[in-house]
Amino acid sequence: MSDASTEASREGESTGDRRLGVGALDEAVPPDEIPEGVPGESRAIDTGEVRLHVVEAGPEDGKLLVLLHGFPEFWYGWHETIAPLANAGYRVVVPDQRGYNLSEKPPAVRDYRIDALARDAVGVIDAYDRETAAVAGHDWGAAVGWWLALHHADRVSEFVAVNVPHPTVFERALRSSWDQRLKSWYVLAFQLPKLPEAVASAGNWRLAVRGLRESSDPGTFGDEDFGRYRRAWNRDGAFEAMVNWYRAIVRDRPTPETETVEVPTLVIWGAKDRFLSTRLAGESVERCADGRLLTLDAATHWVVHEEPHRVAEAIADHADPLPPGARE
């Protein structure tokens, strides 16, 4: 990159604009970062604490929709939903959350506490100069979304949680259910220093790939998907940072300030999830003042990949940026 283009890519830093060029990231964005056929452009966002890589798509004046990925993915986990949601009128913004892929990777476990992760999402909303955004999260992204809806309700217009329960519901399940404890065995395994990273990366990420393949419907993830995941996991410090999310939640174990979610909430649940009991979905809806449940009986934990258009349709209908009949 030339000096002139580098300067241009950093445009906004001196004016206070928190949406920056990709030259502000620590690593270069690969030319094929966004697959052909997926609309959107890469951008760097300064949240006030970290710099995040985001993919943005859809009309600039559309209702802001922030999609939060989970473990062990990155923004790409939502790639099949971006086009239908952008076509539905949303300004879609999909960050690599802190520690993942091209985003900044703070070194300490404490840097991945849930409060900090939720503040990152607020920082993304601020960067687009919006008071509120609709937020959807899958897996760890849903955990961040629940925390955001509980502690920053004034910044979230609607919330969609995909296959992760309300934090109080999950905490009580871990305390009372041996079935859920056994399903969540990997959380304790991730507390060991260095070993999870070494085991996961051995044999060109053989176990990490096998975990995704065996916990999803056959054919859900293909060779191109795994190639992209391996590249993201291989980035310097990335997998350690990803595991630090689990280390931080066990060491900190915060209690929400309130248990009732006032933000209109849709819970989408793949019923064949091998990591989380389906009953947790209904119990989570009961914690919402305005909550609904959509259960997809044939889907697994990876429902965003298995049923991307159904998930996108449900998100669009829940947040509804267009006037009645406009989508038809």
Side-chain angles (χ1 to χ4, degrees):
M1 181 177 290
S2 68
D3 290 342
S5 60
T6 299
E7 185 66 26
S9 72
R10 293 183 180 272
E11 184 179 356
E13 291 184 66
S14 60
T15 64
D17 189 348
R18 296 169 69 173
R19 286 178 288 173
L20 311 173
V22 294
L25 297 169
D26 292 339
E27 298 183 66
V29 177
D32 65 343
E33 178 67 19
I34 301 174
E36 187 176 350
V38 175
E41 296 180 356
S42 285
R43 185 185 285 276
I45 295 292
D46 182 354
T47 69
E49 296 184 23
V50 293
R51 288 185 176 179
L52 303 180
H53 167 253
V54 307
V55 171
E56 56 182 25
E60 291 189 11
D61 61 349
K63 182 173 180 175
L64 185 62
L65 170 62
V66 179
L67 304 178
L68 302 175
H69 66 82
F71 177 92
E73 303 196 83
F74 58 108
W75 76 266
Y76 180 78
W78 288 99
H79 77 282
E80 290 182 276
T81 68
I82 293 175
L85 288 168
N87 291 337
Y90 288 98
R91 182 58 167 172
V92 183
V93 175
V94 197
D96 286 330
Q97 297 203 74
R98 71 163 67 188
Y100 281 81
N101 193 36
L102 292 163
S103 287
E104 192 171 341
K105 302 168 182 65
V109 170
R110 65 178 177 273
D111 294 321
Y112 298 91
R113 292 173 178 171
I114 192 71
D115 284 328
L117 305 175
R119 287 196 303 271
D120 287 348
V122 173
V124 170
I125 298 170
D126 286 341
Y128 285 84
D129 198 26
R130 306 295 183 94
E131 290 296 321
T132 64
V135 176
H138 171 249
D139 187 76
W140 257 112
V144 174
W146 283 112
W147 204 259
L148 189 68
L150 286 164
H151 296 88
H152 303 276
D154 60 324
R155 307 306 306 275
V156 184
S157 56
E158 296 87 17
F159 173 50
V160 180
V162 186
N163 275 78
V164 154
H166 184 291
T168 301
V169 170
F170 192 37
E171 178 70 19
R172 292 185 178 179
L174 288 173
R175 291 182 181 277
S176 63
S177 169
W178 273 106
D179 177 63
Q180 186 55 59
R181 290 176 191 169
L182 291 172
K183 289 177 184 288
S184 302
W185 65 270
Y186 58 93
V187 177
L188 291 179
F190 281 167
Q191 303 311 305
L192 298 170
K194 304 295 183 184
L195 186 61
E197 295 91 324
V199 171
S201 62
N204 195 23
W205 302 96
R206 179 176 56 85
L207 287 181
V209 167
R210 190 173 77 183
L212 283 171
R213 183 175 282 135
E214 292 184 352
S215 60
S216 61
D217 280 343
T220 298
F221 296 100
D223 290 342
E224 180 182 353
D225 300 319
F226 290 130
R228 291 180 176 275
Y229 287 124
R230 286 187 179 100
R231 182 168 70 182
W233 299 337
N234 271 322
R235 297 193 184 282
D236 188 32
F239 206 81
E240 180 181 5
M242 292 159 61
V243 175
N244 279 345
W245 285 49
Y246 290 95
R247 293 171 176 143
I249 201 68
V250 168
R251 297 180 191 184
D252 190 27
R253 301 188 74 81
T255 300
E257 294 175 1
T258 179
E259 292 188 359
T260 302
V261 177
E262 300 292 343
V263 176
T265 298
L266 171 65
V267 176
I268 301 175
W269 205 270
K272 290 163 52 180
D273 192 323
R274 64 186 288 181
F275 307 110
L276 295 158
S277 299
T278 301
R279 65 179 178 81
L280 302 181
E283 292 176 12
S284 296
V285 171
E286 293 172 1
R287 301 276 176 175
C288 301
D290 179 8
R292 296 186 298 118
L293 173 62
L294 171 62
T295 303
L296 300 178
D297 292 331
T300 74
H301 183 77
W302 309 105
V303 58
V304 174
H305 295 270
E306 295 160 348
E307 302 262 11
H309 294 283
R310 183 69 185 91
V311 169
E313 179 183 31
I315 293 171
D317 287 344
H318 181 61
D320 196 21
L322 300 179
R327 202 170 292 140
E328 286 76 18

